[in-house]
Amino acid sequence: MSRSFVEDPAEAAPGLARPVGASPDPAPDPAPGRRVDVRRTLRFLVLRPGLLLSVVVLVLVAAASFRPGLFTSRDPLEGVPTQNFRGPSGAHWFGTDELGRDVFARVVHGAQLSLKATLIAVLVAFVVGGLLGVVAGFVGRWVDDVLMRFVDVLLSIPALFLSLALVTALGYGTVKVAVAVGIASVASFARVARAEVLRVRQAVFVEAARSCGSRWYSVLGRHVLPNAAGPVIVLATLDLGASILAVSALSFLGYGAPPPAPEWGTLISEGRNYLANAWWLTALPGLAIAATVLATNRVARALDGEWSRQR
């Protein structure tokens, strides 16, 4: 028996034109993945109001660091002696200090100094610690043993004590405090970077690249570093909060910028002598530090686990 087939001309000959009146194919979605990603991100943020609040706090702190004039027009160093020890009010949101200076203006302008020191500290720890971890994990052998023993020595010393020893040797100042805090955090970055490099180095695609004759620097730059950088970046976000606390602690002890520079730790140190009659001098700058640290930790926790599980 013969079997007859009815074929669609458009299917039989893809190059032929469609008959007049035929409906064209629907246009493809230009970027479906991008739209889904945006929708998922918005849903992720809306379902977490605490995370939204943390992002807002960090945006305000960053804006105060770069453009303090957006928040206050007062001079943080100029005081009016007749208006000293005024409590928080509409005229002075955070009150005034013993010299009549506006505490809110000092907190806003102090964000620039404190955030600058924090970023320098995290950058030093990220670069130095990451470099040590990458070299130890990628090279291995005796290089790994020597570098990791040095890291173990750093880990055996409490970070704050190590920062105090370094800043005493380096001298006083915001940048020197930042460098001391950064060096004290090198060990944790080195261990995380080494662990990630060891994990990625044993992956199948890295072995395939080596078997194809790729140079070691090509394997390191194209395969190992991009796949090992994620946890180190998350650690840098987490270390922001710890660095803010460490920088403020050293400024509180008098190792930061000399007065009348309005560093956050210095503001708390200056106000501790007036706790009995001017609680706002220490409580409100301390609240600014606590809010920034908590917001940083909340964002880092979202980047570390919640967003990965959501995806």
Side-chain angles (χ1 to χ4, degrees):
M1 295 178 60
S2 61
R3 301 177 61 184
S4 60
F5 295 91
V6 179
E7 295 182 350
D8 186 0
E11 296 178 358
L16 297 178
R18 284 185 175 274
V20 178
S23 60
D25 292 335
D29 192 353
R34 184 181 303 174
R35 187 174 62 187
V36 172
D37 288 341
V38 172
R39 187 184 301 116
R40 183 183 299 141
T41 302
L42 292 177
R43 183 173 179 272
F44 177 79
L45 292 174
V46 169
L47 294 178
R48 293 164 174 82
L51 178 59
L52 270 178
L53 180 61
S54 300
V55 172
V56 170
V57 169
L58 293 182
V59 169
L60 292 177
V61 171
S65 302
F66 293 99
R67 295 293 298 274
L70 296 175
F71 299 91
T72 180
S73 59
R74 297 178 183 272
D75 188 349
L77 305 180
E78 182 180 356
V80 181
T82 58
Q83 296 183 2
N84 61 338
F85 293 122
R86 298 292 177 90
S89 62
H92 303 281
W93 291 358
F94 284 10
T96 60
D97 61 5
E98 70 277 7
L99 300 178
R101 296 173 296 191
D102 187 75
V103 179
F104 179 74
R106 291 177 64 76
V107 170
V108 170
H109 285 268
Q112 182 178 12
L113 294 173
S114 298
L115 188 61
K116 171 187 173 182
T118 301
L119 293 179
I120 293 175
V122 174
L123 183 62
V124 169
F126 182 84
V127 173
V128 178
L131 182 62
L132 290 177
V134 168
V135 172
F138 192 77
V139 177
R141 298 187 297 274
W142 63 269
V143 177
D144 184 15
D145 294 335
V146 171
L147 292 180
M148 285 302 102
R149 298 298 77 76
F150 172 72
V151 170
D152 291 340
V153 171
L154 292 180
L155 285 174
S156 65
I157 306 173
L160 184 58
F161 292 163
L162 182 58
S163 300
L164 283 171
L166 291 173
V167 78
T168 303
L170 296 174
Y172 298 176
T174 302
V175 176
K176 295 176 181 179
V177 165
V179 172
V181 172
I183 294 177
S185 303
V186 162
S188 56
F189 281 86
R191 290 179 67 89
V192 172
R194 174 181 177 271
E196 289 301 311
V197 169
L198 288 176
R199 178 185 63 83
V200 175
R201 193 182 67 174
Q202 299 173 357
V204 177
F205 61 88
V206 175
E207 296 295 334
R210 286 178 173 175
S211 63
C212 292
S214 298
R215 301 282 185 175
W216 66 268
Y217 51 83
S218 177
V219 174
L220 179 63
R222 297 183 59 183
H223 301 289
V224 176
L225 289 182
N227 290 280
V232 185
I233 294 175
V234 173
L235 178 61
T237 310
L238 278 170
D239 194 62
L240 279 172
S243 297
I244 291 174
L245 289 176
V247 168
S248 300
L250 292 177
S251 300
F252 177 85
L253 296 175
Y255 292 100
E263 279 188 343
W264 285 351
T266 305
L267 294 179
I268 298 176
S269 178
E270 292 176 350
R272 60 180 173 172
N273 297 323
Y274 307 101
L275 283 174
N277 59 342
W279 55 269
W280 57 88
L281 295 182
T282 54
L284 297 182
L287 182 62
I289 296 175
T292 306
V293 172
L294 291 176
T296 304
N297 291 341
R298 181 66 184 90
V299 172
R301 189 179 67 184
L303 292 175
D304 188 19
E306 295 179 11
W307 176 245
S308 301
R309 290 193 298 268
Q310 182 75 10
R311 297 182 66 182

